[in-house]
Amino acid sequence: MLQKDRITLALLLAQAAPYQMDKSLMDVILDADVKGLDVSTEPHLVSEAMARASTLRALKNDLPNVSSPSWNAFFLSKTAEDIVPQACPADTARFDKQLRSLIMVKLFRSDRFVPAAERFVTEVFGKELLDTSDDLGEIVKQVAAATPVALSSSPGFDASYKVESLVGRTHANCISMAMGSNEGLASADKTINHAAATGSWMLVKNVHLAPVWLQSLEKRIDALKPHPNFRLFLTMETSPKIPVNLLRASRVLMCEQPAGIRANMKESLSSLSMRATKQPAERARVYLLLAFLHAVIQERLRYAPNIGWKGFWEFNDSDLECSAFVIDTWIEFVAHGRTNVAPQKIPWEMIRFLVAETYGGKIDDEGDFRQLKRLVEEVLTSAAFEENYRIVKEVTNASSPDESLHGLTLPSETGWKEFVEWVDRLPEREPPTYLGLPANAEKLLLVGQAEELVGSVRLISNTLDEGEQFTFGDVE
């Protein structure tokens, strides 16, 4: 399930959950007449938002109790969800307080509605609902030989690297092929039969291009009586042409790039953990730099094609794997088996050139390629081994020249465990300055996401309500 869909599902579940909360407050949040505004960028709309808030039964009696300093801080804060004025009685239940806060955020700071919604569902269900990572290796152990593993992704995102990476780590015997031609269809049937008989793994890519072939795949697998070690992986783009019965018979994983620097780096460090223990010790910090660079490159796609990248370039974890191989090759070249190597002796120029070419192979815009090279040069540097090195420099807030935006300092420790703990402490939603973007870059993006989130929950809720009415009408 996509990350944005997890939040939608969680809000829907919260409506039906047996927890003590005033469900009518959720109706207010979903009400199309309760218009979302961002007064931090349009302060002249404060009076309009305040007038609308004063008409709501849930808020009107308590709004006068909020002090002017509280309002001003809420209107101007970069993380307004942290300091929402408490327009409710002191004895209000915990979840009801948070629902009222969501209403306030929607009314006045719609640019912070998605982070506020994430906070609410985390409070209700725990952080595991949103902070999940499917381990393909564990899934392979869990599924039966006759159960395909379907890796579905949005158009433009290739999930096959997850299987290929697992094959590389486990040294499994895997046959790979791509669909898209009549020859591919015929070859796929024969190859699956052979792999099922011998207990090999089989990776069939782009199966959404062969919907007719997929319709008979489930029956063929049942008839195969496969070897216990046989595993069938299917990569596909989300499409209504994928047979529902096949999806029901499969273990389905929805693949997308992790949302946010922290989640992205956690996944990268997990994939690099086995090789990070190799000597020399400096290799681990270079991997940390690579994981940060990879996360920045991918996160900037959220802002494409306006200010992040000019195109929706198909960066994925295969670029990370290739870059890690480059780092391994050149570090081992200078280390000669030693347990340590001076950071200045690492051939940074060569590593930067090859890493830039690895990611740059996906780019066909000269301006974007120049930006990529700047990012690579800023992150992959021997200066990162210095004490208290700031991988993100402190900058001045353009909208408030007197205010400085904090940078990001790398950990002084050298162990992999400490690097993982440092990543865990990163903010769940990083400021755009971490990505080399203006501090206000995320505002328009989040306002649009808030409208989409509320619209999706409202649409599904209305559809479910109509379905219940239809069912009860039939019974009567």
Side-chain angles (χ1 to χ4, degrees):
M1 183 179 293
L2 295 173
Q3 183 72 11
K4 65 183 181 67
D5 295 332
R6 291 182 194 273
I7 304 173
T8 302
L9 174 62
L11 288 175
L12 289 166
L13 290 174
Q15 284 185 291
Y19 299 116
Q20 288 294 326
M21 67 176 76
D22 183 354
K23 302 299 174 62
S24 68
L25 295 174
M26 186 67 78
D27 295 335
V28 176
I29 294 169
L30 300 181
D31 190 343
D33 293 330
V34 180
K35 185 180 178 183
L37 299 174
D38 177 16
V39 302
S40 67
T41 54
E42 298 180 283
H44 62 280
L45 296 178
V46 169
S47 56
E48 178 186 336
M50 196 68 73
R52 189 172 289 116
S54 300
T55 65
L56 299 178
R57 180 178 59 83
L59 301 177
K60 62 182 181 180
N61 293 332
D62 298 287
L63 288 176
N65 300 328
V66 179
S67 66
S68 293
S70 295
W71 281 121
N72 292 333
F74 176 53
F75 294 160
L76 298 176
S77 174
K78 296 189 296 293
T79 54
E81 68 275 13
D82 293 338
I83 53 171
V84 182
Q86 293 302 304
C88 58
D91 60 350
T92 303
R94 179 165 62 104
F95 292 152
D96 289 348
K97 270 187 183 178
Q98 292 173 335
L99 285 172
R100 287 169 187 255
S101 294
L102 266 181
I103 296 173
M104 295 277 281
V105 171
K106 181 184 178 184
L107 284 168
F108 296 97
R109 291 297 305 273
S110 60
D111 62 310
R112 304 306 301 169
F113 183 82
V114 173
E118 289 178 350
R119 171 171 295 187
F120 169 68
V121 299
T122 298
E123 283 290 327
V124 176
F125 299 109
K127 66 179 182 179
E128 293 79 12
L129 186 65
L130 299 181
D131 193 14
T132 58
S133 178
D134 293 312
D135 186 337
L136 186 58
E138 287 300 314
I139 290 170
V140 167
K141 296 175 184 176
Q142 295 167 7
V143 299
T147 301
V149 178
L151 293 89
S152 182
S153 60
S154 302
F157 187 85
D158 181 13
S160 60
Y161 74 88
K162 287 182 174 288
V163 180
E164 292 163 350
S165 176
L166 179 62
V167 169
R169 295 198 304 270
T170 60
H171 305 291
N173 181 27
C174 182
I175 306 166
S176 175
M177 65 174 303
M179 304 302 281
S181 66
N182 292 332
E183 293 79 5
L185 295 177
S187 176
D189 290 336
K190 294 178 182 178
T191 311
I192 288 176
N193 288 337
H194 174 74
T198 59
S200 300
W201 290 4
M202 178 76 190
L203 169 61
V204 187
K205 305 177 184 179
N206 303 326
V207 295
H208 58 280
L209 300 177
V212 176
W213 177 78
L214 285 176
Q215 290 175 0
S216 59
L217 178 61
E218 181 188 355
K219 295 178 181 177
R220 282 204 305 277
I221 292 175
D222 289 337
L224 283 176
K225 305 300 181 188
H227 187 283
N229 293 336
F230 171 67
R231 294 295 183 273
L232 175 62
F233 302 93
L234 308 172
T235 69
M236 63 189 75
E237 292 182 357
T238 51
S239 169
K241 295 181 180 179
I242 306 296
V244 174
N245 286 339
L246 177 64
L247 294 176
R248 288 173 177 165
S250 305
R251 180 69 178 268
V252 181
L253 305 181
M254 193 67 207
C255 302
E256 62 174 337
Q257 67 180 56
I261 290 284
R262 187 184 73 173
N264 198 307
M265 289 191 71
K266 284 174 70 173
E267 184 165 299
S268 295
L269 294 189
S270 176
S271 69
L272 295 170
S273 59
M274 296 293 291
R275 57 210 298 179
T277 57
K278 297 179 181 177
Q279 302 294 344
E282 288 73 19
R283 184 196 309 260
R285 182 168 287 260
V286 183
Y287 280 165
L288 180 67
L289 300 178
L290 175 62
F292 181 79
L293 174 67
H294 180 71
V296 168
I297 289 172
Q298 287 199 318
E299 275 300 293
R300 287 174 67 99
L301 286 170
R302 290 201 298 132
Y303 298 85
N306 299 317
I307 58 174
W309 300 110
K310 294 176 185 174
F312 294 95
W313 314 122
E314 296 181 11
F315 304 121
N316 59 41
D317 281 11
S318 64
D319 302 309
L320 178 79
E321 289 288 330
C322 290
S323 297
F325 175 77
V326 167
I327 289 169
D328 287 343
T329 300
W330 287 99
I331 284 185
E332 288 167 8
F333 177 76
V334 297
H336 298 297
R338 293 192 294 267
T339 57
N340 292 94
V341 62
Q344 295 78 11
K345 296 291 185 181
I346 296 173
W348 293 103
E349 282 293 329
M350 182 60 71
I351 289 174
R352 284 193 289 260
F353 173 79
L354 292 174
V355 170
E357 290 296 318
T358 298
Y359 286 90
K362 309 284 181 70
I363 297 174
D364 63 8
D365 179 85
E366 186 176 345
D368 274 2
F369 186 68
R370 285 198 301 270
Q371 178 60 51
L372 171 69
K373 289 179 70 175
R374 280 195 292 270
L375 291 172
V376 172
E377 289 167 3
E378 290 171 2
V379 175
L380 299 181
T381 170
S382 61
F385 284 80
E386 298 172 1
E387 191 78 12
N388 297 322
Y389 177 75
R390 285 198 168 180
I391 196 167
V392 177
K393 305 299 186 287
E394 186 173 285
V395 296
T396 300
N397 189 350
S399 59
S400 302
D402 295 334
E403 178 187 3
S404 292
L405 300 175
H406 295 294
L408 179 63
T409 303
L410 287 177
S412 56
E413 297 87 357
T414 60
W416 191 252
K417 179 173 177 281
E418 288 75 22
F419 292 164
V420 172
E421 291 173 351
W422 177 80
V423 170
D424 283 335
R425 293 193 298 269
L426 291 176
E428 188 169 344
R429 282 186 170 272
E430 72 284 342
T433 50
Y434 281 23
L435 310 178
L437 299 175
N440 62 352
E442 195 174 26
K443 277 189 172 291
L444 289 176
L445 184 72
L446 285 176
V447 168
Q449 290 177 349
E451 293 174 353
E452 182 182 357
L453 173 60
V454 173
S456 297
V457 177
R458 183 193 305 125
L459 175 63
I460 297 173
S461 295
N462 292 341
T463 302
L464 292 173
D465 290 343
E466 291 171 4
E468 288 180 4
Q469 291 171 8
F470 179 77
T471 302
F472 289 130
D474 282 353
V475 172
E476 292 174 356

